[in-house]
Amino acid sequence: MSVKIRVPGRLEVPTKLFGQFTFLDIIRLGLFSVLTYFLKPEPVLLGLSAVLGVIWYWWTPYGQHLDTLLYNLPRWAIEKKQLEDSQIKSKNDRYISLEDGSSTAVIEVSPTNLDMRTDSEQGALHNVYQNLLDTVNYPVHIHSLQQELSLKKYAGKIEENQIESKLSNNHAKKYLKEDYLEFCHELSERDLSATKHYIALRVEKNTGNWLLDLLPVGTSKGNKAVKSKLDNRCQEVIDTVNTADLQAERLTGWELKNTAERFVTGSKEDSSVLYKSPEPSPSWTSRRNGYSSPYHYRKTLYISEFPTTVELGWPLQLLRTDGLVDVTQVIEPRDTGKATKKLQRLSEKLNAEIDSFLSQGYRGTNKLETLLEDTEWILDLLADRQAQPVDYSAYITSHSESKAKTLQTHRQVKNRLETLQFQYGHTALRTDQAYKTQQPLLGDPLNETQLVPSTSAAAGFPFGTQQTNQEQGIIYGVDTSDDTPILADRFSWSSHSMARMGMVGSGKSYAAKLELLRSKIAYNNLQIIVVDPKKEYSQVIESIGGTTHILGERADFDPQNNDICFQVSSRGQQDNVEGLVDLVENIYYHTSRNEKKTLVLIDEARILMNDEEGRRVLNQFILEARDTNTAITLISQNASHFTYCREGREILDNMPGKVFMRHDRVPDSVVDYFQLSQQEKQELYELKTGTDSAYSEALLKISGRLDTRLKIESTQAEHRNITTGDSE
């Protein structure tokens, strides 16, 4: 990320004596001395009082003065017991209603990979997010919530598939499966996390109509007014957020109910749920999901002041911390007229203070002058209608079932904030409020806000993480940015087809064989058909119980004969072209007569792309493959083999998946068609191959789902199978 966004300093500036002491600081320093002077003015007591005053001023446990902690102590002791009252009153298909009369709707946003975007594309995403903040006239709560990335369910499904599969006794396949499951287990032990992004919209009982507000919460008219307002807000947010890069969808039905159960302490509708109320300590919040479950610990910070400029999507730096981290951002629009008047008064105050300092010979006015510049900058933005004023707050919560792990993550978050030059505050004796703030259904009682323009608040663009499926498909590799395994199910795509493109030696055939082996393990009763003009796939197919046929021989398409590799009699013969076209047409005919999952791999696709009839057959096959549950993989040495002609571009248009390995040349037609950024074009020349490192790399693009740089690794059994055909 490289787009920088300006952020103003905290504009609430208290008047300071000598540029150092506020009115409260003077009270802290002198209160004990004044009281002692009037009660018993003895020198020893006066000295002791002065020492106590200095201690009161300088000692700030948890970054807070003692009087602040003493103020929060009784409030915390009383209100922490009320957390159990923050329960769900009712759930239906579209709303969550709480006992305080408020109703909440939840929108889930599918993220984009911000790292893969050019500066102009990042700027466009910033504009989309700012447009949302400029449009709404109600509070918006953005929650980026992390949970452990576990592959246990995925591994369990593979075990079930193998039990059902009639090939489960295949010796080679048994070793492949065991090695792949061990690989999944090793990935799960890397303390990886998955991030989900939610926009929570909350409507209080106050509807804005004084007559309706007099109605009880449970009346149908009162509920209808609240929910109608909530529906309108949801539609407005979804319409604004939905773009080519982002997809927003309102949670409804069981998805909303299950998500809500994870958010709050429990539900009165289900007495069997053994949720225990949160148990806040002065600096922690813990909660147990059942009487026999371990505690889950949480520790929260808030951003007290930002650096002068921040990178777009700065929360991503925190979400990539080693551990579980939640980021909550609350944006509440301000009235432009009132905000302008406040800023004008602040500008006058800052000018007066600066003049006063300078007239007395002080030169330490840099901070005040910076705040004055920020104030005038915001006033200019508002005058030109380039932004709207908002109250903005950001909270970071470290959490884990291990108290030690939570503390370790918390320290890493603090170190990263300090590196980024963010100032932060602690929530000691406010953990009850912190618990509510980071829960999407319960508002923001912490209320650690600051006035900023919407363009600055939009710098916290939260939807920059990479999304991955956790339960089905195969592991295509790990994200190079955070080592998250990329698990994708191509049979769930709008079309199941994929193009693999890369120069000779880039690793594209190796990665394709890896996909074949893992797909055979992951999908029950999958049929694999390989068109192999280079004569290099037979050992892989035969090791998993398949057969090899020579082009021209009668092919047996009996579904009981699951896996087939078709090879040419000898490479490079011109007669192979017509035979390959006929073969692909026969495969198309076979797969169109059943709905069994079939994976068809066609290597050296350029041979067919250079033939008019071959292009026609491929185009029709790919266009209709989804209807018959067929996934097609085309492999070629350069993306230009597709983009140079109309039929090739039509083929790519119907292939959601594109895998780019290293290229030795990238024609303009490729850059233009795929809308590659300058960074992506450069990466195509720099991607690692299996010959120059222990792994290969690729750019994986799945339309509307994924856009990332992958590190492709194999297990020992897979590597032996691919390189020698011996998996033992």
Side-chain angles (χ1 to χ4, degrees):
M1 296 179 292
S2 57
V3 174
K4 300 284 188 178
I5 310 295
R6 181 175 177 178
V7 182
R10 182 172 285 276
L11 301 177
E12 292 78 4
V13 184
T15 302
K16 292 185 177 182
L17 183 64
F18 307 119
Q20 178 67 37
F21 303 106
T22 66
F23 178 71
L24 280 176
D25 291 337
I26 294 173
I27 292 177
R28 291 173 182 128
L29 286 167
L31 181 60
F32 290 113
S33 297
V34 171
L35 290 175
T36 302
Y37 178 80
F38 284 104
L39 294 175
K40 196 172 184 179
E42 295 183 2
V44 175
L45 294 178
L46 287 173
L48 181 60
S49 299
V51 171
L52 289 176
V54 171
I55 292 174
W56 189 6
Y57 170 74
W58 283 107
W59 188 34
T60 54
Y62 304 108
Q64 301 181 52
H65 288 286
L66 294 176
D67 52 288
T68 304
L69 294 174
L70 290 172
Y71 168 80
N72 281 317
L73 179 59
R75 184 211 55 78
W76 173 78
I78 295 171
E79 294 191 12
K80 71 172 184 176
K81 298 179 180 179
Q82 299 177 3
L83 285 181
E84 60 188 26
D85 295 331
S86 302
Q87 293 178 326
I88 295 174
K89 179 181 179 182
S90 64
K91 304 188 295 286
N92 61 29
D93 287 342
R94 300 174 65 80
Y95 315 95
I96 300 297
S97 298
L98 300 182
E99 289 186 334
D100 61 3
S102 64
S103 291
T104 302
V106 181
I107 298 169
E108 184 172 0
V109 180
S110 299
T112 184
N113 190 340
L114 205 58
D115 292 336
M116 301 295 289
R117 297 287 173 259
T118 63
D119 288 356
S120 60
E121 290 170 335
Q122 289 186 21
L125 289 169
H126 176 258
N127 290 336
V128 168
Y129 191 40
Q130 182 182 343
N131 185 39
L132 170 66
L133 305 186
D134 288 342
T135 301
V136 301
N137 59 359
Y138 42 83
V140 176
H141 296 234
I142 314 290
H143 298 268
S144 300
L145 308 180
Q146 289 191 333
Q147 59 185 8
E148 290 183 353
L149 179 58
S150 173
L151 298 176
K152 290 182 180 179
K153 288 185 178 179
Y154 173 66
K157 286 188 177 182
I158 290 179
E159 291 280 11
E160 292 176 6
N161 289 344
Q162 297 310 301
I163 293 174
E164 297 175 6
S165 175
K166 63 185 178 62
L167 292 178
S168 59
N169 293 326
N170 179 280
H171 196 51
K173 191 175 178 184
K174 177 182 177 183
Y175 276 91
L176 286 169
K177 180 203 73 173
E178 291 176 351
D179 220 32
Y180 184 54
L181 290 176
E182 179 62 26
F183 177 61
C184 294
H185 177 70
E186 291 175 359
L187 289 175
S188 296
E189 289 185 337
R190 293 183 182 179
D191 288 333
L192 301 173
S193 59
T195 306
K196 290 194 174 184
H197 304 277
Y198 301 99
I199 300 177
L201 302 176
R202 191 168 186 257
V203 175
E204 307 290 343
K205 180 181 180 295
N206 183 357
T207 65
N209 185 317
W210 67 269
L211 184 59
L212 288 176
D213 291 341
L214 296 177
L215 295 173
V217 173
T219 61
S220 59
K221 288 187 177 180
N223 287 339
K224 185 175 180 180
V226 169
K227 292 174 181 177
S228 175
K229 180 182 287 189
L230 202 51
D231 285 338
N232 292 336
R233 291 181 178 182
C234 281
Q235 194 57 53
E236 184 176 40
V237 170
I238 290 173
D239 290 343
T240 306
V241 172
N242 269 334
T243 63
D245 293 309
L246 299 173
Q247 287 81 44
E249 183 178 1
R250 183 174 179 178
L251 294 184
T252 58
W254 67 268
E255 286 186 338
L256 177 62
K257 294 177 182 179
N258 289 349
T259 302
E261 288 293 354
R262 297 198 304 269
F263 288 162
V264 295
T265 57
S267 169
K268 287 188 174 181
E269 292 183 347
D270 187 359
S271 59
S272 65
V273 177
L274 298 178
Y275 287 99
K276 293 194 68 177
S277 300
E279 301 175 12
S281 69
S283 59
W284 299 78
T285 300
S286 60
R287 176 189 172 198
R288 195 157 61 187
N289 291 345
Y291 292 113
S292 60
S293 302
Y295 280 95
H296 198 88
Y297 297 92
R298 313 187 71 87
K299 200 167 178 63
T300 301
L301 298 169
Y302 62 87
I303 303 299
S304 58
E305 190 165 357
F306 292 86
T308 305
T309 59
V310 298
E311 286 189 345
L312 177 67
W314 60 263
L316 184 58
Q317 303 295 326
L318 304 175
L319 293 170
R320 286 178 173 169
T321 303
D322 182 16
L324 300 179
V325 176
D326 295 346
V327 176
T328 301
Q329 301 179 72
V330 181
I331 303 99
E332 185 167 0
R334 278 263 195 121
D335 180 85
T336 302
K338 293 180 180 178
T340 299
K341 290 180 180 178
K342 177 178 179 178
L343 290 167
Q344 288 172 342
R345 290 194 300 270
L346 179 59
S347 177
E348 294 171 359
K349 177 183 176 182
L350 288 169
N351 272 310
E353 288 203 28
I354 291 172
D355 291 341
S356 175
F357 272 95
L358 294 177
S359 65
Q360 297 176 29
Y362 293 103
R363 293 292 180 265
T365 60
N366 290 342
K367 175 67 173 178
L368 295 176
E369 290 174 352
T370 299
L371 290 177
L372 179 59
E373 290 178 5
D374 288 340
T375 303
E376 293 177 345
W377 168 64
I378 299 175
L379 284 169
D380 289 340
L381 288 178
L382 300 184
D384 296 337
R385 297 185 179 181
Q386 296 179 4
Q388 295 294 319
V390 298
D391 282 326
Y392 177 60
S393 53
Y395 309 96
I396 300 94
T397 301
S398 308
H399 59 100
S400 173
E401 289 185 354
S402 165
K403 194 171 184 178
K405 180 61 177 176
T406 303
L407 185 58
Q408 179 183 353
T409 303
H410 181 71
R411 288 170 178 164
Q412 291 181 16
V413 167
K414 290 196 297 182
N415 289 338
R416 189 154 297 186
L417 287 173
E418 291 165 0
T419 301
L420 296 172
Q421 297 184 335
F422 283 63
Q423 296 182 31
Y424 56 86
H426 299 272
T427 56
L429 291 176
R430 300 177 66 192
T431 49
D432 57 312
Q433 295 176 331
Y435 176 80
K436 289 183 178 181
T437 291
Q438 56 85 36
Q439 295 289 350
L441 305 181
L442 303 179
D444 179 23
L446 274 175
N447 197 34
E448 289 291 344
T449 65
Q450 52 187 298
L451 176 62
V452 300
S454 54
T455 183
S456 299
F461 180 84
F463 315 118
T465 58
Q466 193 58 67
Q467 189 179 39
T468 181
N469 189 322
Q470 295 184 53
E471 295 188 8
Q472 54 190 354
I474 70 164
I475 297 174
Y476 282 86
V478 296
D479 194 311
T480 56
S481 64
D482 56 14
D483 275 346
T484 300
I486 300 301
L487 180 59
D489 177 18
R490 60 189 298 177
F491 287 97
S492 68
W493 303 347
S494 58
S495 172
H496 310 327
S497 298
M498 172 189 288
R500 289 183 176 272
M501 300 158 282
M503 60 182 282
V504 174
S506 62
K508 60 183 182 298
S509 296
Y510 188 100
K513 294 173 185 177
L514 196 61
E515 181 185 14
L516 294 181
L517 294 174
R518 292 180 178 177
S519 297
K520 193 62 181 177
I521 294 170
Y523 297 108
N524 192 21
N525 293 324
L526 172 73
Q527 181 177 21
I528 295 176
I529 302 174
V530 177
V531 178
D532 182 19
K534 293 196 300 183
K535 304 181 71 173
E536 60 176 39
Y537 287 84
S538 61
Q539 62 188 27
V540 171
I541 295 300
E542 291 171 8
S543 71
I544 55 176
T547 57
T548 300
H549 296 265
I550 302 300
L551 194 64
E553 296 180 356
R554 179 177 178 80
D556 182 8
F557 278 111
D558 184 353
Q560 300 302 317
N561 189 2
N562 254 13
D563 308 314
I564 309 172
C565 175
F566 291 99
Q567 294 185 338
V568 297
S569 57
S570 60
R571 297 177 58 176
Q573 292 185 358
Q574 187 65 30
D575 295 341
N576 291 341
V577 178
E578 184 176 348
L580 288 171
V581 173
D582 290 341
L583 172 62
V584 172
E585 197 160 26
N586 285 332
I587 295 173
Y588 167 49
Y589 175 76
H590 163 69
T591 57
S592 66
R593 295 171 63 86
N594 68 78
E595 295 186 358
K596 180 180 181 180
K597 276 190 174 70
T598 308
L599 177 55
V600 178
L601 185 148
I602 302 175
D603 204 349
E604 293 293 325
R606 62 179 177 80
I607 298 175
L608 297 173
M609 291 301 303
N610 289 333
D611 180 79
E612 182 177 356
E613 181 65 11
R615 294 195 295 270
R616 183 193 67 80
V617 171
L618 277 181
N619 200 355
Q620 185 177 8
F621 192 7
I622 290 170
L623 184 64
E624 301 180 10
R626 181 192 177 187
D627 296 335
T628 59
N629 225 4
T630 302
I632 302 172
T633 298
L634 300 183
I635 301 179
S636 191
Q637 293 174 1
N638 197 293
S640 61
H641 295 157
F642 297 101
T643 58
Y644 83 97
C645 63
R646 175 184 57 81
E647 297 94 330
R649 293 190 292 273
E650 288 179 359
I651 287 172
L652 290 174
D653 288 343
N654 289 292
M655 304 185 86
K658 282 92 176 178
V659 182
F660 298 89
M661 313 293 282
R662 183 189 284 183
H663 276 55
D664 55 357
R665 61 185 181 87
V666 185
D668 291 340
S669 62
V670 173
V671 175
D672 294 340
Y673 174 79
F674 292 106
Q675 297 182 335
L676 297 177
S677 66
Q678 191 62 37
Q679 176 186 347
E680 289 174 324
K681 180 179 178 181
Q682 185 62 34
E683 285 182 338
L684 290 182
Y685 296 117
E686 299 173 352
L687 292 170
K688 294 182 179 180
T689 70
T691 56
D692 58 17
S693 68
Y695 55 86
S696 59
E697 291 182 335
L699 301 183
L700 173 61
K701 295 176 177 288
I702 304 174
S703 301
R705 294 171 181 259
L706 203 66
D707 189 351
T708 190
R709 180 169 175 167
L710 283 181
K711 179 168 65 174
I712 302 170
E713 299 173 302
S714 61
T715 68
Q716 292 184 1
E718 290 167 339
H719 180 71
R720 287 194 296 266
N721 186 291
I722 292 171
T723 55
T724 67
D726 179 11
S727 65
E728 297 184 37

